Amino acid sequence: MKTQKTPMAKNKIENRERKAREEFEDEPQVVSIGNLSYRALIGSLLYLASTVRPEISYAVNVLSRHQINPTELEWSMAKRVCRYLKHTKHIGLKFTGKLDGLEGYSDASYADCKGSLTTSGYVIRLFGDAIAWKTRKVNLVSLSTCESEYVAMSIACQELIGLHQSIKLMLDRDLTPMTLHCDNMAAEACCLVCSNKLRHVIEIKYHYVRQCVSKNLIKVKWVCSRDQLADIFTKPLALELHNKLTGSIVNMKLD
């Protein structure tokens, strides 16, 4: 079997065509042998993405949007993920515990889904080791990149607070304030001072991150895009950057 060095091709034209074929949840279900096999493959990849191979989360999330009527292109993309897994079967999560504290990275890919919806992603690390991550399509049309990043931060913040409560019970240790890294300065500023305009266009629940910042539970910190670990959960990346971020998340040095 031919191998691949990345789970998803960084092809703007191909990705734009795939985006136009994305399915909505309320579309009628058509069961056939073809899409049952496709669903079985995606289910297996979802298991890997949620347990030991976080770097394929975005590719698998994108493929899961085509389970009703997958085309040859989606099948080809799914096979590419399998070829990537064969090429990188030595990669897995490594827990070292060399750092301190609980921190998160959040990112968003503005209006990259059908219907102008946005993909958001986050990864959370405890003592420097990844313990939670997710790629998801946000069912909210954001009006700017700032807004989409702000919403992604709130989603990551909810996970951070939930994990902190569990860790506090187990370790009897308070890890606040936790650091949440984002690569959008405007979104970072909104966590401190929220304008009336932003308050009215975003649903109330997405202002959770601002409340956590005001209570000193979360400390928002800007990070440059090349060091944004959550970048790998929101878009396909070039080989060099893909290897860099994957290595940082799983605590392995990749060539």
Side-chain angles (χ1 to χ4, degrees):
M1 180 191 291
K2 181 182 177 182
T3 60
Q4 293 286 349
K5 295 183 178 181
T6 60
M8 191 172 180
K10 192 179 179 182
N11 187 317
K12 293 183 178 180
I13 297 177
E14 182 179 292
N15 288 329
R16 187 164 59 246
E17 292 174 350
R18 181 209 55 77
K19 173 183 172 181
R21 294 193 304 275
E22 281 188 9
E23 301 153 352
F24 293 108
E25 295 178 359
D26 57 353
E27 289 190 26
Q29 301 287 318
V30 180
V31 180
S32 68
I33 299 299
N35 60 22
L36 282 178
S37 300
Y38 182 83
R39 291 181 183 187
L41 175 57
I42 298 306
S44 299
L45 293 175
L46 278 170
Y47 174 77
L48 285 175
S50 62
T51 53
V52 294
R53 299 301 298 269
E55 81 277 13
I56 67 171
S57 294
Y58 175 72
V60 177
N61 181 272
V62 167
L63 292 171
S64 68
R65 303 172 191 174
H66 301 273
Q67 297 189 66
I68 298 176
N69 188 28
T71 66
E72 285 297 323
L73 178 59
E74 278 76 56
W75 270 109
S76 177
M77 293 171 65
K79 291 175 183 177
R80 180 189 175 99
V81 178
C82 295
R83 294 186 181 106
Y84 167 76
L85 291 172
K86 180 182 179 182
H87 178 73
T88 59
K89 56 186 177 182
H90 62 285
I91 295 179
L93 288 174
K94 186 178 180 182
F95 297 93
T96 60
K98 292 183 178 180
L99 302 179
D100 195 18
L102 183 64
E103 64 176 357
Y105 291 79
S106 71
D107 192 35
S109 185
Y110 174 62
D112 68 328
C113 304
K114 188 175 181 179
S116 298
L117 301 180
T118 294
T119 299
S120 73
Y122 65 77
V123 58
I124 294 173
R125 303 200 300 178
L126 175 64
F127 305 141
D129 304 320
I131 60 170
W133 56 86
K134 191 170 187 177
T135 295
R136 60 171 288 185
K137 180 167 65 174
V138 181
N139 291 319
L140 173 74
V141 177
S142 299
L143 303 179
S144 64
T145 54
C146 168
E147 185 178 331
S148 63
E149 295 278 0
Y150 185 76
V151 170
M153 290 166 65
S154 286
I155 295 171
C157 185
Q158 294 173 50
E159 185 71 13
L160 268 173
I161 295 298
L163 286 172
H164 176 258
Q165 291 174 347
S166 299
I167 292 168
K168 189 176 181 180
L169 287 173
M170 291 186 290
L171 303 181
D172 192 24
R173 180 178 174 184
D174 188 359
L175 298 175
T176 58
M178 298 166 285
T179 302
L180 179 59
H181 301 269
C182 77
D183 57 4
N184 187 289
M185 292 184 177
E188 178 189 7
C190 288
C191 295
L192 303 175
V193 180
C194 187
S195 67
N196 289 331
K197 182 178 180 181
L198 191 61
R199 187 180 299 117
H200 289 300
V201 298
I202 297 182
E203 294 182 31
I204 297 298
K205 65 179 180 179
Y206 293 123
H207 290 295
Y208 183 64
V209 62
R210 187 166 179 256
Q211 182 186 45
C212 291
V213 170
S214 65
K215 291 183 177 181
N216 201 36
L217 298 174
I218 297 290
K219 180 175 64 175
V220 178
K221 184 178 181 181
W222 180 84
V223 63
C224 69
S225 295
R226 283 193 62 82
D227 296 324
Q228 171 58 277
L229 300 186
D231 210 31
I232 202 170
F233 297 96
T234 60
K235 58 183 73 70
L237 302 175
L239 176 61
E240 180 184 356
L241 185 56
H242 174 83
N243 285 346
K244 176 186 176 182
L245 298 185
T246 299
S248 298
I249 292 171
V250 303
N251 287 328
M252 294 180 67
K253 186 176 181 182
L254 305 179
D255 297 328

